[in-house]
């Protein structure tokens, strides 16, 4: 006795097939459950159309729909120097706001947004960092990015923090020396 399993949308169908069946007969039997599993109302649609309809993603829920702007951040910079300190609003997708470089800032955050990682994550605990001081500048970024809340603080207290800051330029001011 040979056991063949065929997976269809959300369910598994097992067929017990005698081992004496030829490869051609086995292929025909294994393909049959995929067509039979698709619900088709009599006289309303073909099996192929019904199969395509069942593989469509679920509809977007109202709470998952973005507002007028998909991403909104408030950036507050302190001790960075004249012309750099202040509080700015940044709206992305589409780009707008009071930030001095709206498009560049949106591009910087987009560039640092990767599936499975947080673009605003702090330097990991236990990181080995150079003891390089980058100055007294600090930044606080709050809001929503990619549908997730943001509350991130930046400083330039060591080499890791400087690198983290520099990855977000021009969202944060360029303080490179």
């Amino acid at each position: 006795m040979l056991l063949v399993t065929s997976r269809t949308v959300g369910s598994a169908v097992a067929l017990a097939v005698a081992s004496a069946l030829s490869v051609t007969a086995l292929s025909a039997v294994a393909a049959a459950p995929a067509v039979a599993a698709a619900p088709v109302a009599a006289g309303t649609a073909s099996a192929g159309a019904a199969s395509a309809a069942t593989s469509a993603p679920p509809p977007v829920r109202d709470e998952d729909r973005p507002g007028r702007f998909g991403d909104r951040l408030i950036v507050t910079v302190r001790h960075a120097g004249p012309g750099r300190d202040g509080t700015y609003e940044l709206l992305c997708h589409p780009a707008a706001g009071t930030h001095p470089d709206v498009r560049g800032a949106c591009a910087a955050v987009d560039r640092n947004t990767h599936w499975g990682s947080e673009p605003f994550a702090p330097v990991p605990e236990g990181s080995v960092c150079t003891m390089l001081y980058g100055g007294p500048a600090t930044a606080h970024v709050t809001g929503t990015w990619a549908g997730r809340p943001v509350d991130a603080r930046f400083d330039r207290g060591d080499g890791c923090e400087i690198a983290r800051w520099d990855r977000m330029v021009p969202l944060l001011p360029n303080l490179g020396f």
Side-chain angles (χ1 to χ4, degrees), residues 52-150:
T54 60
S55 65
V60 176
R61 300 175 305 180
D62 287 337
E63 61 267 25
D64 293 334
R65 293 182 194 279
R68 181 169 165 234
F69 290 92
D71 301 300
R72 180 178 183 267
L73 299 173
I74 303 296
V75 181
T76 302
V77 179
R78 300 280 179 250
H79 311 294
R84 296 178 176 151
D85 289 352
T87 298
Y88 310 102
E89 180 180 37
L90 178 67
L91 305 163
C92 299
H93 312 116
T98 61
H99 191 280
D101 183 359
V102 170
R103 292 190 191 288
C106 289
V109 183
D110 279 338
R111 184 174 57 246
N112 286 286
T113 302
H114 307 285
W115 179 258
S117 68
E118 280 292 329
F120 298 98
V123 173
E125 257 327 291
S127 294
V128 178
C129 304
T130 60
M131 294 184 71
L132 178 66
Y133 181 64
T138 62
H140 187 200
V141 181
T142 59
T144 303
W145 185 262
R148 301 183 68 165
V150 174

Side-chain angles (χ1 to χ4, degrees), residues 77-81 84-85 130-139 154-163 165-166 173-177:
V77 179
R78 300 280 179 250
H79 311 294
R84 296 178 176 151
D85 289 352
T130 60
M131 294 184 71
L132 178 66
Y133 181 64
T138 62
F154 292 80
D155 65 48
R156 298 176 60 83
D158 62 35
C160 294
E161 293 292 349
I162 293 169
W165 179 294
D166 289 349
N174 186 355
L175 301 177
F177 298 106

